[in-house]
Amino acid sequence: MVCTARDRAGARYKLKENIEQFFTKFVEEGKATVRLKEPAVDVCLSKANASNLKSFLAAVRLAHRGTDVEALPLSVLVPAKTSEVEKPKTKMIITSRRDYPLTKNFPYSLEHLQASYCKLARVDMRMLCLKKLRTLDLSHNHIKKLPETIGDLVSLQELNLHNNHLESFCVALCNSMLQKSLQFLDLSQNKIKALPVQFCQLQELIHLKLDDNELIRLPFKMGQLSQLRFLSAARNKLPFLPSDFRNLSLEKLDLFGNPFEQPNPLVPSIQLKIPLTLLESAARATVNYRIPYGCHLLPSHLWEDLELAKTCQCGSACLSCFIQTTVTMNLHHVAHTVVLVDNMGDDLFLPEGGS
C-alpha cells in the first residue's frame, strides 16, 4: 500500500499488480507520476530529492511485482509540509491548438475542461474518461458529430458546443445518464435542422441555447422540460411552436429572427384514415388507458411509435391520424421576459391537433 496524505489516515492505494504506467521524464527535477489502475488516479510526486525519488520508484516497481514488503529498499521518509503537497488539478483551460495536449492524458481529477479554438474535428476520446467532469466546453471548434459515450460522463452538468459544425443531436445522448445530470446545454451557431423527440427526456435542463441554427421545428413534447427556465432559439427557421410549448414556465425566452407564419385555422392539415387502422386504435387505447408498455414488452418499432404519440387538446392520444391547425398564443403566459422584435407582438402560433 502507498499512503498519499501527510498523516497515515489519508488515502491508501494497493500497489500489487495495480500500476498502469510510470511517468519519470522529469525525475531528475524531483518529479514523477504513478498512474494506478483501480481506482483510476494519478499519484503526483514533486519537490523530491532526485536520488530518494529514484529509490522510492524502484521500491514501488517491486511492490507492483509482488515483492514482500520486508524486502523492499525503503528508507524513512520525512512527511511533506502541507504547502508542498500538490493538490489534484480540477480545472484546465486550453484556448489554442498549440497548447492542446497531444501526447499525454488529461488529469483524471478534472471537473472543468475548456478546449476552445483548438480546431478539433471530433470529441477527443481521452475526455470521455474524466468521470468527475462537471463542465465541458468545446466551443469554437469543427466538431461535426457527438459520440454516444459523452452520455457516460455521469457528473456532467454543463456542455458547451457553441460554434461547431453539428448537424444533429443523437437519440442515444437523450437516453443516456445525461437525463439526470445535464442542466446547461449550448448548441448555438451550428447546423442543426431538428432535434429528436427524445430530446425532451433531458428533464434536468435549466438553460438551453439553440440560436443561429437551421431549426425548422422544435420537439412537440417541449412542455416536458419542466425545469427549463432560459430558452433561446433566435435566428432559426421556425414557422410555429409546438402546442406543448404552453406547458413551459420560463424566466426568459428569445425567439428573435424566426420567420413565424400567420395562422390560418380554416386551412388545417388533415391526416385521417377512416376507419382507424388497428395500429392507431390499439396505440390510442394503450396511451389513453395508461396501459404499461416498454421496449421489453413490445417490438421496438411499436414502442417507438407509442413514445411519439401526440396528445389532442381533449386529452386523447393520436398517432398518425389527426387534424392539425394553428392558433395564437401570448408568450407571456410561458415566460416572464420575451425577446421577439417583429410586427407580431407577443402572440405566436402553435399547431393544435385533434383526433
Side-chain angles (χ1 to χ4, degrees):
M1 305 289 285
V2 63
C3 177
T4 60
R6 184 179 180 184
D7 58 24
R8 295 189 178 183
R12 294 170 180 262
Y13 300 113
K14 175 185 174 182
L15 292 180
K16 185 178 179 180
E17 298 179 353
N18 193 38
I19 296 177
E20 181 177 320
Q21 193 173 356
F22 289 90
F23 299 91
T24 58
K25 183 177 181 179
F26 300 103
V27 69
E28 296 296 339
E29 300 176 16
K31 301 176 183 179
T33 298
V34 180
R35 176 161 295 165
L36 303 180
K37 296 178 182 178
E38 183 63 36
V41 297
D42 289 347
V43 179
C44 301
L45 309 169
S46 62
K47 300 182 181 180
N49 176 277
S51 177
N52 291 343
L53 180 58
K54 291 177 183 177
S55 299
F56 175 75
L57 292 174
V60 171
R61 284 190 175 93
L62 291 173
H64 169 63
R65 296 168 188 162
T67 303
D68 187 76
V69 64
E70 295 180 359
L72 297 178
L74 295 174
S75 59
V76 178
L77 299 177
V78 177
K81 298 178 182 178
T82 303
S83 60
E84 296 176 341
V85 177
E86 186 172 325
K87 295 181 180 179
K89 192 168 188 177
T90 60
K91 188 173 184 178
M92 178 179 286
I93 298 177
I94 308 164
T95 55
S96 71
R97 180 70 174 177
R98 179 185 60 188
D99 298 330
Y100 192 81
L102 298 176
T103 58
K104 61 180 181 180
N105 287 337
F106 297 99
Y108 288 147
S109 54
L110 282 183
E111 297 178 8
H112 177 108
L113 174 60
Q114 177 181 347
S116 303
Y117 301 98
C118 295
K119 300 181 180 179
L120 297 178
R122 61 182 63 86
V123 177
D124 192 329
M125 299 304 287
R126 293 175 296 171
M127 299 175 181
L128 306 180
C129 298
L130 306 176
K131 300 304 182 182
K132 295 183 178 181
L133 205 60
R134 292 189 297 170
T135 301
L136 178 59
D137 185 345
L138 297 174
S139 58
H140 303 284
N141 282 294
H142 302 158
I143 298 170
K144 294 183 178 181
K145 186 177 180 181
L146 298 176
E148 297 179 2
T149 42
I150 283 185
D152 295 334
L153 296 175
V154 295
S155 300
L156 193 64
Q157 296 177 355
E158 299 185 14
L159 179 58
N160 188 345
L161 296 161
H162 169 73
N163 191 19
N164 276 277
H165 298 164
L166 294 173
E167 297 181 356
S168 63
F169 192 88
C170 68
V171 172
L173 291 181
C174 304
N175 295 328
S176 71
M177 297 298 292
L178 296 181
Q179 291 182 5
K180 299 180 179 180
S181 64
L182 195 63
Q183 299 178 12
F184 175 95
L185 178 60
D186 189 344
L187 296 173
S188 60
Q189 207 165 326
N190 280 279
K191 301 177 180 179
I192 300 173
K193 294 183 179 180
L195 295 170
V197 175
Q198 294 84 350
F199 183 86
C200 301
Q201 294 176 8
L202 300 174
Q203 294 190 17
E204 295 301 314
L205 275 179
I206 297 174
H207 201 139
L208 176 60
K209 301 186 71 174
L210 301 170
D211 311 284
D212 299 294
N213 276 280
E214 300 173 12
L215 289 169
I216 57 174
R217 66 176 183 272
L218 294 176
F220 69 82
K221 292 190 176 183
M222 281 292 289
Q224 292 184 356
L225 298 176
S226 58
Q227 303 298 319
L228 194 65
R229 295 295 177 265
F230 302 91
L231 172 61
S232 55
R235 296 173 297 278
N236 279 280
K237 299 178 181 180
L238 299 173
F240 50 75
L241 300 174
S243 60
D244 205 41
F245 202 84
R246 59 166 51 89
N247 295 325
L248 294 175
S249 180
L250 304 174
E251 293 291 330
K252 184 176 180 180
L253 172 64
D254 186 353
L255 294 171
F256 172 77
N258 280 282
F260 291 109
E261 298 176 356
Q262 294 287 343
N264 191 346
L266 299 179
V267 187
S269 171
I270 302 176
Q271 303 287 334
L272 288 178
K273 293 180 181 179
I274 305 296
L276 296 179
T277 64
L278 179 60
L279 173 61
E280 182 80 20
S281 298
R284 290 188 181 193
T286 300
V287 176
N288 292 339
Y289 294 107
R290 300 182 179 180
I291 300 173
Y293 66 90
C295 56
H296 60 292
L297 297 174
L298 297 173
S300 60
H301 68 284
L302 294 179
W303 175 72
E304 290 173 0
D305 285 345
L306 287 168
E307 287 293 292
L308 298 178
K310 301 175 180 63
T311 302
C312 173
Q313 288 306 298
C314 68
S316 299
C318 49
L319 205 66
S320 58
C321 193
F322 54 85
I323 299 174
Q324 179 175 282
T325 188
T326 54
V327 298
T328 60
M329 175 188 176
N330 189 321
L331 292 178
H332 282 291
H333 292 167
V334 298
H336 292 299
T337 303
V338 178
V339 179
L340 183 66
V341 183
D342 54 21
N343 59 357
M344 299 179 186
D346 293 329
D347 291 331
L348 276 192
F349 318 116
L350 300 91
E352 297 280 12
S355 55

